[in-house]
Amino acid sequence: MRLLLLLSIFLISPALHAAGGFVHTVTMDPETRDSITISSPFNNIPTVGFMPLHITIDNRSTEDRQWSLAPQNRLMGGDWITASWTFPVKAGSKAEFDILVPLKSNNFNYRWGAQLSWSGPGVDSPMMQLPQTSNNSTSSNTPFLAFSDSLHAKHWGTLQSSNSNLISTSVDLSQAPADWRAYIGIDQIWMTSQEWLSFPADKKQALQQALTLGAYIAFVCKNSDEASLIRQAFNRPDTNASWKVGSSHVNLLLEGTDTTSRIENLLSKTNAKADLLEDHRLSSYLDKAVAQIGTAGPLVLIFIILFGIVAGPVNLFILAPSGRRHRLFITTPIISFIGALILAAAIFIQDGTGGSGTRLLHVQVLPDQKQLVIQQEQASRTGLLFGTSFTPPPGTWVQPLFSNNLGLQFNRSSSALSIDSSGTFTGEWFRSRTRQNHLVTSVRPSRAAIEFTPGPAPSIVSSIEAELDTLFILDPQGKAWSATNIRPGERVILTQAESNAPRQWWSKQITDHHLSSALNTTTEAVANQNTTFYATTTNPGSLPIETLPAIRWSTPLTLISGPLTIK
């Protein structure tokens, strides 16, 4: 029976072909035959993260051509992460491109200002406004919901009439991207069980990776057989209608006459990711670990006064007096250059080159997907930098964090933060003689796991690359076990622990290091789950996500968690 049901799902699933999302056609010069079409699976821009776009360009000319896409403007209200792309298309051919447009998340009220501009042969109307359909009453702590096209058409009108503060997007699953970063901004996603079971494996994996950052996923099932198929897909042996997967939540809902009202009851009530980032407070542990930058106020004032005297009266009346004003074209650049050298020398003498920083990590091990999801909060203090660009690993999300801590210098309005088409981060992500902090998240392939062998003397074998200082586990029956100094590849016999020991120990790591709101959310969410391990290491090896090479990083704490692999 279930085999026939699963087969019918793949044959008749309509939602994967439903028309939805966002479509924009660039207005071209009437004399050109080229065309540019932009589409997105979302019909509303998320409040944080990225807006996924699919670009289709048809070059019908007889020559190779190239088009460019870049931000149209930058509104006030904080830093705007800009990115630019170029799209080369050979003569007489059609090309398709997938891009992720980074969104400004530190000021929710300005999210409607996302405008992009096209340039290239034949472009007549370059500006493109990304879709934004929320009302003015929503705020950054309003969860951003996503519904498949079928569920959005069926239930969204009633849900919004009941609560006008809700904000959502419909998702055209046929256009869903296979990059986990496209789903970062979603706090809860709804789809039918049929849609999930027929969802392509690569896209399903990307969505599951994004869910590990603390999002919810809910399935509307037609009957109990479909609900059982979902449980099987998530390796659930029980008949529960809800469960946790790492820091994410899964809910099942059987369809009925009151489906809409029950959907409303299950809608995410948690603070949105945008709110966690906007209301970020720097970990006091990182605040103490990264030294404050002292300002030599009197010396700076003296330098400004002397520079003003030399660049002004001395330059005007002595170096380039009346009748020799043309010398200003030579003396002014020289004076400015010497002033810059003096400042650079002062920074070098006081702070040296490069910088120092501290980072705290939470690594979620996903053995079923053979992936690691790494979240890293970092704070750094720089001296003289000779270069500020860096290229993180592919598939990395870097978000500047704006601290609300009084007296700290982490709020940098109107900074130029850019990502070029090659994935290189340029601009002012790092600046000379500045304190800055970031939340860095990445997904990377890995065969890491903790293999658990039950029995009278249970044991584990770790394939995590780092040596684990301390490890606690909760086995499938909820019994607690512990071990220390676990090296990769070595079998370690476990010692039974108090039932609440893993929770208390894990909470102590979080409390002692005062994790930020964003990092605290996922570490708290994974706590106290059966068939799960919790570990720490002070020597994480290559687990940290590398950003600016000139920074000398220390990593005093790496939290690692994930489901056990039962042998």
Side-chain angles (χ1 to χ4, degrees):
M1 175 65 183
R2 288 182 180 174
L3 181 60
L4 291 175
L5 177 61
L6 187 59
L7 181 61
S8 66
I9 287 172
F10 281 95
L11 291 177
I12 66 173
S13 178
L16 289 180
H17 304 285
F22 160 75
V23 178
H24 175 82
T25 301
V26 177
T27 303
M28 306 295 286
D29 190 303
E31 296 183 1
T32 184
R33 298 184 301 145
D34 302 336
S35 65
I36 302 176
T37 304
I38 304 96
S39 63
S40 174
F42 302 161
N43 74 344
N44 192 10
I45 186 172
T47 54
V48 68
F50 299 88
M51 179 70 169
L53 297 180
H54 182 76
I55 315 293
T56 303
I57 302 178
D58 190 358
N59 179 9
R60 299 172 184 170
S61 71
T62 57
E63 58 182 19
D64 296 350
R65 289 184 169 179
Q66 180 172 284
W67 288 264
S68 298
L69 181 63
Q72 170 69 15
N73 63 352
R74 270 178 53 186
L75 298 178
M76 297 300 291
D79 294 4
W80 183 287
I81 303 173
T82 63
S84 58
W85 302 267
T86 56
F87 308 104
V89 184
K90 292 187 177 298
S93 64
K94 180 185 292 187
E96 299 185 14
F97 308 87
D98 288 298
I99 66 171
L100 295 174
V101 179
L103 304 174
K104 179 175 66 172
S105 59
N106 65 300
N107 194 319
F108 178 90
N109 296 325
Y110 289 93
R111 61 183 282 272
W112 51 263
Q115 296 175 340
L116 302 174
S117 179
W118 283 93
S119 61
V123 174
D124 189 45
S125 181
M127 197 188 78
M128 180 180 74
Q129 175 79 47
L130 294 181
Q132 194 273 327
T133 59
S134 67
N135 57 53
N136 293 329
S137 61
T138 55
S139 64
S140 62
N141 63 4
T142 303
F144 186 78
L145 311 172
F147 293 84
S148 67
D149 278 344
S150 61
L151 292 179
H152 195 273
K154 195 172 184 179
H155 302 289
W156 178 246
T158 305
L159 290 170
Q160 194 175 40
S161 63
S162 175
N163 184 354
S164 61
N165 290 331
L166 294 176
I167 176 174
S168 81
T169 181
S170 65
V171 182
D172 181 355
L173 296 177
S174 66
Q175 298 186 61
D179 189 325
W180 72 276
R181 293 174 297 170
Y183 307 99
I184 286 174
I186 296 175
D187 292 294
Q188 185 180 44
I189 184 166
W190 287 78
M191 63 176 66
T192 69
S193 56
Q194 295 180 10
E195 291 165 338
W196 177 258
L197 294 170
S198 56
F199 207 36
D202 58 338
K203 299 179 179 182
K204 189 180 295 184
Q205 184 183 63
L207 181 53
Q208 287 178 308
Q209 291 164 353
L211 292 174
T212 61
L213 301 180
Y216 288 40
I217 187 169
F219 303 102
V220 177
C221 309
K222 285 186 176 180
N223 50 52
S224 57
D225 284 339
E226 286 191 1
S228 296
L229 290 174
I230 292 294
R231 293 189 189 95
Q232 291 177 20
F234 282 85
N235 298 318
R236 297 294 301 185
D238 50 48
T239 58
N240 293 337
S242 65
W243 60 87
K244 295 178 72 173
V245 179
S247 58
S248 66
H249 292 71
V250 181
N251 289 287
L252 301 181
L253 185 67
L254 290 180
E255 193 171 17
T257 56
D258 60 343
T259 300
T260 302
S261 61
R262 288 188 292 139
I263 287 177
E264 185 174 11
N265 291 333
L266 286 175
L267 290 180
S268 176
K269 305 296 194 301
T270 58
N271 286 344
K273 295 186 185 73
D275 187 51
L276 294 176
L277 293 172
E278 182 175 334
D279 193 35
H280 170 75
R281 291 184 179 275
L282 178 67
S283 161
S284 58
Y285 181 89
L286 289 179
D287 179 31
K288 294 176 182 178
V290 179
Q292 290 276 1
I293 294 179
T295 302
L299 292 178
V300 172
L301 181 61
I302 292 173
F303 172 81
I304 293 174
I305 294 174
L306 290 177
F307 182 80
I309 292 173
V310 174
V314 173
N315 188 23
L316 192 62
F317 298 111
I318 298 177
L319 301 179
S322 179
R324 297 182 177 181
R325 296 297 189 202
H326 61 279
R327 290 184 177 179
L328 291 174
F329 293 101
I330 300 175
T331 58
T332 302
I334 291 176
I335 292 171
S336 300
F337 180 70
I338 293 174
L341 286 179
I342 293 173
L343 280 179
I347 294 174
F348 174 77
I349 292 171
Q350 183 171 353
D351 300 301
T353 60
S356 60
T358 303
R359 50 198 179 188
L360 304 175
L361 275 70
H362 178 211
V363 180
Q364 295 188 63
V365 180
L366 308 177
D368 290 344
Q369 301 180 45
K370 294 181 172 54
Q371 302 279 347
L372 297 178
V373 177
I374 304 171
Q375 282 183 290
Q376 174 175 300
E377 183 189 8
Q378 62 185 39
S380 61
R381 177 188 188 276
T382 55
L384 181 63
L385 295 178
F386 295 103
T388 59
S389 63
F390 62 97
T391 304
T396 297
W397 177 41
V398 184
Q399 179 67 42
L401 294 175
F402 301 89
S403 175
N404 290 331
N405 293 44
L406 295 178
L408 296 182
Q409 304 172 26
F410 284 74
N411 293 310
R412 298 182 294 143
S413 61
S414 301
S415 294
L417 308 175
S418 303
I419 308 172
D420 67 20
S421 56
S422 67
T424 299
F425 287 61
T426 61
E428 298 179 336
W429 295 91
F430 293 91
R431 294 191 296 187
S432 293
R433 205 165 192 274
T434 305
R435 293 186 63 181
Q436 55 263 302
N437 63 315
H438 309 95
L439 179 67
V440 189
T441 309
S442 186
V443 175
R444 67 177 64 161
S446 173
R447 294 186 177 273
I450 296 292
E451 183 184 87
F452 174 69
T453 303
S459 62
I460 56 124
V461 176
S462 170
S463 55
I464 298 172
E465 64 176 75
E467 179 178 341
L468 306 179
D469 300 328
T470 304
L471 175 139
F472 280 90
I473 75 165
L474 286 172
D475 68 16
Q477 288 72 42
K479 291 183 179 180
W481 305 88
S482 67
T484 57
N485 302 324
I486 302 100
R487 295 182 178 87
E490 296 183 3
R491 183 167 297 278
V492 178
I493 304 298
L494 299 173
T495 302
Q496 190 163 3
E498 296 292 333
S499 59
N500 61 348
R503 171 67 182 182
Q504 290 181 347
W505 174 81
W506 188 253
S507 297
K508 187 176 188 302
Q509 309 309 309
I510 299 171
T511 303
D512 288 353
H513 292 85
H514 305 281
L515 299 184
S516 67
S517 52
L519 209 57
N520 184 76
T521 298
T522 56
T523 50
E524 286 283 1
V526 302
N528 208 32
Q529 298 182 41
N530 289 354
T531 322
T532 302
F533 74 88
Y534 307 92
T536 58
T537 179
T538 54
N539 185 18
S542 62
L543 289 176
I545 308 164
E546 297 302 331
T547 51
L548 190 67
I551 304 293
R552 299 175 293 276
W553 296 102
S554 64
T555 311
L557 176 70
T558 298
L559 296 167
I560 308 175
S561 64
L564 294 170
T565 299
I566 308 297
K567 185 175 180 181

